[in-house]
Amino acid sequence: MHTAQRLFSHPQYWAECFGTAEFLPMSREEMDQLGWDSCDIIIISGDAYVDHPSFGMAVIGRSWEKQGFRVGIIAQPDWSSKEDFMRLGKPNLFYAVSAGNMDSMINRYTADRKLRHDDAYTPNNEGGKRPDRAVLVYTQRCKEAFSDVPVLIGGIEASLRRIAHYDYWSDKVRRSVLFDSKADLLVYGNAERAIAEIAHRASRGEAMKDMLDIRGTAAIISELPGDWNAKDSTRVDKPGRVDPIPNPYHYADEENSDGSSCSTKSQAANDEVEEQVLHILPSPGSKQEFILLPSYEKVRNDPVLYAHTSRVLHLETNPANARTLVQKHGERYLWVSPPAIPLTTEEMDEVFDLPFQRIPHPAYGSARIPAYDMIKFSVNIMRGCFGGCSFCSITEHEGRWIQSRSEDSVIREIEKIRDMTPGFTGTISDLGGPTANMYHLNCKSEVIHAHCRRLSCVYPTICKNLKTDHSATTQLYRRARSLPGVKRIMIASGLRYDLAVEDPEYVKELVTHHVGGYLKIAPEHSEDGPLSKMMKPGMGTYDKFKEMFDRFSREAGKEQYLIPYFIAAHPGTTDEDMMNLALWLKSNGFRADQVQAFYPSPMASATAMYHSERDPLHRVNYKTSKVVIPKGERQRRLHKAFLRYHDPDNWPMLREALERMGKAHLIGYGKKHLVPPTQPANHPSAKKYGSKLHPKGSQGGKPAAKAKPNLPSSGTRKKGPRKGTILTQHTGLPPRQSGNGSKPKRKRR
């Protein structure tokens, strides 16, 4: 494993003599109070400034402050002119631009490309406070304000657009954001290590454009270095035959249809994947080596090369063996250095121990910032995710290596919440991160970890080299809930249930003490086709976890429910797949409250699938079969309608689809039917689609108005929602709770 300089071991910059600011200044008046005549670095952020470790710009700003620099923040500036970007004067070193905690396009538009009118990262949830493609706009205004000041771009928007990428909103492949923004340097991923080195080298007069050797960065160069070996990307992953992969969707102890044990096939699948990726190692030699990707012009015009490029990028994400990537754009080259070395536990602790005030900047007064309200009583215990879900951007941004804090550090933060955060009543809303249960889980062997290029540690089966012992998490839960003044510790982060079933003691601890009535998990689908493109486990593992969840809930004397999440219109999903998922939902008594259609975020593997119609999870060539891609508003609406099969608004569309698919036998009033043949009598569509009694002799001749599942009368309704009711769906919110966080609210129907 490569080594790196300890994060805060750099000699502090001379401005450290000014000490620590209560809040990083947002105005000249605050700078005057601190005795500053100027800022060394000015952060431009698309989010409101919340001085909390869950907000990226606060972490970056406080990290630079710890290094000795004077850091100011201009949050959500007026981008109509350069004036607001000059609010704090001219920075001595550089501007640092970020769109915020979310990509600005995802923040402003729905998966159907409709404009949102709210923004959880803005005071009072007000929409329209950041521009489309905020990194481009902010950088342009910084250059207009002071043309001689370098601009560093970062955050998730820049991170996910660091190479040529498919852009869902314009439906085309765009250049690297570094070329379009004309910034001097790009930093990607969790960037504390990179930004420290950038700032110190800039303070010594080094030009940002010359910092090509800093890991976790991207720059533009005019010509390739002559003292490096160039390796064509097709030599890394030559487009060739797509090897079949055995069915990975049964739990290992189940039997296959032929009576054989699944464990044999699952192990074969695991071994095959390891064989495919472990042999792709850097070539020996004295010269340094970079991989030359297909140019922007080629991937723009060739979907197969786009899919191939996406695959190579994802194979080069392990910090221990990743190589520099180079991609030509016109006459110049994009130079992407390998990912930064992950932070050690001690360094993670140092970051989270920085002097955050844990509240929004006082300039916002009493205005509510919904994103802050959601996390102010939660604690982030780790970073990264080795799940490798193809639709998720966590891996592209944070990486597959799990970076965990120490138990003592987490406990200190809980005590800070208890002692510092206004409104705390004793409930910690979450101990988690990208997932709830990957804390301190990594590879058993450092050697294997340093050489591995698997896209996922848990797909198609859990790697035999992965630690699955959750004892560190279990111990953390027990210690946290024993703290004075802490009444409850809830777990709201998504649970990786295929890992959890490997440790029944953890599941019992979780279910007994840390579930507030509902626990959210994400099977995402029931069918093998879409699951194989998502890199998600099958329903066999879900069923095993549900059995454990129900059993431990009964033993604890609690009535608790799972909230499963599902995605509509994911690449690889057919209309019949969605129909089968709807039948599964109905047979299990689930009625989704809200649903989510697949959102092609930049650089995700599933987005490459969506654009190229090829599967970059495996090798591709020009003879590779195309992947089924649900595109077009009508088909995407249909797939969402299947998830809400119980909504009368969707019945006409579903009836039409079922008849077209030759599945008209699923239209009726019986338990095995999916939708009724007519609309409810009191429904607005009844006149158009009909609400008369069904012809005599069919299912008892019940009118469509009676087609909804029978609800218990008000006198017999159980307290809380009926079993199986889904209260939230892909909102990112924790399970709904009453004001004191102790009992679940009843869902009115």
Side-chain angles (χ1 to χ4, degrees):
M1 178 62 184
H2 293 79
T3 59
Q5 182 174 351
R6 188 176 176 88
L7 181 59
F8 293 112
S9 65
H10 297 268
Q12 285 187 309
Y13 188 59
W14 69 265
E16 60 85 20
C17 63
F18 286 98
T20 300
E22 184 178 7
F23 287 90
L24 301 179
M26 293 177 58
S27 67
R28 291 304 295 258
E29 291 75 18
E30 293 173 78
M31 290 171 59
D32 291 340
Q33 292 171 10
L34 293 168
W36 299 3
D37 60 348
S38 60
C39 292
D40 301 310
I41 303 165
I42 295 177
I43 295 174
I44 309 294
S45 174
D47 293 339
Y49 170 32
V50 180
D51 198 44
H52 189 284
S54 290
F55 289 76
M57 289 305 98
V59 174
I60 294 300
R62 289 296 187 184
S63 295
W64 268 323
E65 180 186 55
K66 178 72 172 178
Q67 301 286 351
F69 298 97
R70 293 168 293 178
V71 184
I73 291 185
I74 301 177
Q76 299 187 314
D78 176 2
W79 69 88
S80 62
S81 72
K82 65 181 180 180
E83 303 305 322
D84 210 19
F85 293 77
M86 304 170 73
R87 184 195 313 166
L88 302 182
K90 183 178 180 179
N92 300 322
L93 298 179
F94 54 85
Y95 279 111
V97 168
S98 169
N101 272 22
M102 291 180 67
D103 182 282
S104 61
M105 299 301 286
I106 295 176
N107 179 276
R108 296 202 70 208
Y109 296 93
T110 70
D112 297 322
R113 299 188 181 99
K114 295 180 180 178
L115 184 67
R116 302 183 196 271
H117 298 288
D118 55 4
D119 184 343
Y121 292 90
T122 300
N124 295 324
N125 203 24
E126 184 179 354
K129 289 295 184 181
R130 76 185 79 211
D132 290 357
R133 311 189 194 284
V135 168
L136 305 186
V137 176
Y138 289 162
T139 302
Q140 179 183 350
R141 292 293 180 260
C142 289
K143 292 290 187 180
E144 290 176 3
F146 301 104
S147 60
D148 59 333
V149 174
V151 177
L152 172 70
I153 58 175
I156 193 158
E157 180 168 313
S159 188
L160 299 185
R161 298 168 183 268
R162 59 186 181 264
I163 69 168
H165 58 280
Y166 173 72
D167 183 79
Y168 174 61
W169 302 270
S170 60
D171 192 26
K172 66 180 183 181
V173 176
R174 293 179 65 99
R175 301 191 302 174
S176 163
V177 69
L178 194 57
F179 282 86
D180 284 346
S181 69
K182 296 180 174 57
D184 296 88
L185 191 67
L186 179 152
V187 62
Y188 66 89
N190 294 121
E192 292 94 345
R193 203 182 293 287
I195 60 106
E197 188 170 352
I198 291 168
H200 283 293
R201 287 168 65 167
S203 71
R204 295 194 292 268
E206 184 174 346
M208 235 181 229
K209 293 181 179 181
D210 297 332
M211 300 180 189
L212 303 181
D213 59 335
I214 299 178
R215 298 177 68 105
T217 64
I220 297 172
I221 60 176
S222 299
E223 56 183 31
L224 298 177
D227 57 344
W228 285 57
N229 282 328
K231 189 169 187 177
D232 188 275
S233 65
T234 57
R235 292 170 57 200
V236 176
D237 192 65
K238 185 175 182 179
R241 180 173 61 89
V242 178
D243 298 322
I245 289 186
N247 184 345
Y249 304 113
H250 299 287
Y251 189 69
D253 293 335
E254 296 178 335
E255 287 189 349
N256 295 298
S257 58
D258 61 2
S260 64
S261 170
C262 267
S263 59
T264 302
K265 287 189 175 182
S266 297
Q267 187 57 53
N270 201 40
D271 292 343
E272 179 179 348
V273 171
E274 289 180 3
E275 182 181 353
Q276 287 177 1
V277 299
L278 285 176
H279 76 281
I280 309 172
L281 301 176
S283 301
S286 58
K287 284 190 176 182
Q288 292 178 293
E289 184 176 77
F290 63 81
I291 296 174
L292 189 61
L293 299 173
S295 69
Y296 157 68
E297 289 77 14
K298 287 183 178 180
V299 299
R300 178 188 61 190
N301 298 320
D302 190 330
V304 173
L305 283 181
Y306 186 93
H308 161 74
T309 301
S310 174
R311 177 166 169 78
V312 172
L313 172 78
H314 286 82
L315 289 173
E316 297 293 330
T317 55
N318 183 342
N321 58 41
R323 288 159 288 183
T324 296
L325 301 177
V326 175
Q327 186 176 50
K328 193 174 184 181
H329 285 58
E331 298 302 316
R332 295 182 295 169
Y333 297 88
L334 176 72
W335 181 273
V336 184
S337 61
I341 301 300
L343 298 185
T344 64
T345 294
E346 293 75 18
E347 289 171 324
M348 284 279 286
D349 290 354
E350 289 177 313
V351 169
F352 282 86
D353 282 341
L354 293 172
F356 301 103
Q357 295 298 312
R358 307 191 64 82
I359 57 175
H361 190 280
Y364 301 119
S366 60
R368 290 184 58 252
I369 301 175
Y372 167 70
D373 289 341
M374 192 176 80
I375 56 84
K376 62 183 177 181
F377 302 134
S378 69
V379 180
N380 193 332
I381 64 175
M382 45 76 68
R383 289 177 178 172
C385 179
F386 50 66
C389 299
S390 64
F391 53 82
C392 182
S393 298
I394 292 173
T395 297
E396 285 84 358
H397 185 61
E398 296 193 2
R400 292 181 178 83
W401 287 52
I402 303 303
Q403 302 168 68
S404 301
R405 300 168 61 184
S406 70
E407 185 179 295
D408 287 344
S409 174
V410 174
I411 295 301
R412 284 197 299 272
E413 184 168 355
I414 295 174
E415 292 173 334
K416 288 179 182 178
I417 293 174
R418 178 194 64 193
D419 300 337
M420 295 175 57
T421 306
F424 181 68
T425 59
T427 298
I428 297 296
S429 60
D430 187 28
L431 291 182
T435 61
N437 60 318
M438 289 186 183
Y439 181 65
H440 282 297
L441 299 187
N442 263 312
C443 192
K444 296 176 182 177
S445 167
E446 290 187 7
V447 175
I448 292 175
H449 202 181
H451 288 76
C452 184
R453 293 174 187 267
R454 279 187 62 159
L455 300 180
S456 170
C457 297
V458 291
Y459 177 88
T461 59
I462 296 175
C463 178
K464 60 188 177 184
N465 298 306
L466 178 68
K467 295 177 183 177
T468 58
D469 176 11
H470 288 57
S471 58
T473 311
T474 302
Q475 173 59 32
L476 175 63
Y477 289 175
R478 291 170 179 167
R479 183 177 172 188
R481 68 173 184 263
S482 68
L483 289 174
V486 175
K487 300 175 183 176
R488 302 190 72 187
I489 302 286
M490 310 306 298
I491 304 302
S493 293
L495 184 78
R496 190 77 196 204
Y497 58 88
D498 50 348
L499 276 176
V501 297
E502 298 293 313
D503 192 335
E505 182 182 0
Y506 168 75
V507 178
K508 183 175 182 179
E509 188 78 15
L510 174 74
V511 171
T512 304
H513 299 286
H514 302 284
V515 176
Y518 312 105
L519 178 68
K520 59 183 181 182
I521 60 175
E524 306 297 5
H525 217 284
S526 61
E527 304 305 295
D528 291 358
L531 286 171
S532 69
K533 302 300 182 285
M534 297 175 179
M535 298 181 71
K536 292 286 291 188
M539 298 309 287
T541 309
Y542 167 84
D543 292 338
K544 183 173 180 65
F545 178 77
K546 185 177 186 304
E547 183 276 324
M548 296 173 70
F549 179 87
D550 291 343
R551 172 160 52 91
F552 291 136
S553 292
R554 287 193 303 270
E555 291 177 3
K558 295 183 176 182
E559 187 175 358
Q560 300 182 142
Y561 307 98
L562 291 177
I563 303 177
Y565 282 25
F566 299 95
I567 295 180
H570 190 278
T573 308
T574 64
D575 294 352
E576 189 165 346
D577 288 331
M578 292 307 301
M579 177 196 73
N580 290 334
L581 175 54
L583 291 170
W584 184 91
L585 289 169
K586 184 171 184 180
S587 66
N588 285 275
F590 287 113
R591 299 178 66 175
D593 179 47
Q594 296 177 2
V595 299
Q596 176 66 56
F598 168 66
Y599 205 148
S601 59
M603 223 169 76
S605 294
T607 301
M609 230 178 276
Y610 177 90
H611 168 63
S612 69
E613 300 183 357
R614 272 78 172 181
D615 181 3
L617 304 179
H618 312 294
R619 296 175 183 174
V620 295
N621 65 16
Y622 293 98
K623 295 182 180 180
T624 302
S625 299
K626 290 188 176 182
V627 177
V628 174
I629 307 294
K631 286 188 178 181
E633 182 179 356
R634 182 169 180 81
Q635 189 175 25
R636 288 171 65 87
R637 283 179 55 209
L638 173 63
H639 283 205
K640 290 174 69 175
F642 271 118
L643 285 181
R644 286 184 52 79
Y645 65 90
H646 55 278
D647 186 346
D649 288 337
N650 294 326
W651 292 349
M653 178 184 291
L654 293 176
R655 284 194 292 263
E656 179 185 338
L658 291 172
E659 290 173 355
R660 185 182 68 252
M661 296 163 61
K663 304 291 183 181
H665 62 279
L666 294 176
I667 303 173
Y669 298 114
K671 291 183 178 180
K672 295 184 178 180
H673 295 126
L674 187 61
V675 295
T678 54
Q679 296 298 100
N682 60 348
H683 194 269
S685 63
K687 185 175 181 180
K688 179 178 179 181
Y689 293 102
S691 61
K692 295 180 180 179
L693 293 178
H694 203 59
K696 185 178 179 179
S698 63
Q699 300 297 322
K702 295 180 181 179
K706 301 286 187 180
K708 290 183 179 180
N710 292 328
L711 300 177
S713 65
S714 59
T716 61
R717 181 190 287 271
K718 288 184 178 181
K719 187 174 183 180
R722 284 197 325 282
K723 187 174 182 179
T725 299
I726 303 177
L727 296 184
T728 59
Q729 189 71 269
H730 290 284
T731 61
L733 297 175
R736 297 177 182 175
Q737 299 172 346
S738 58
N740 60 11
S742 59
K743 295 181 180 179
K745 284 185 177 179
R746 180 162 57 190
K747 171 75 174 176
R748 297 183 65 87
R749 306 192 66 83

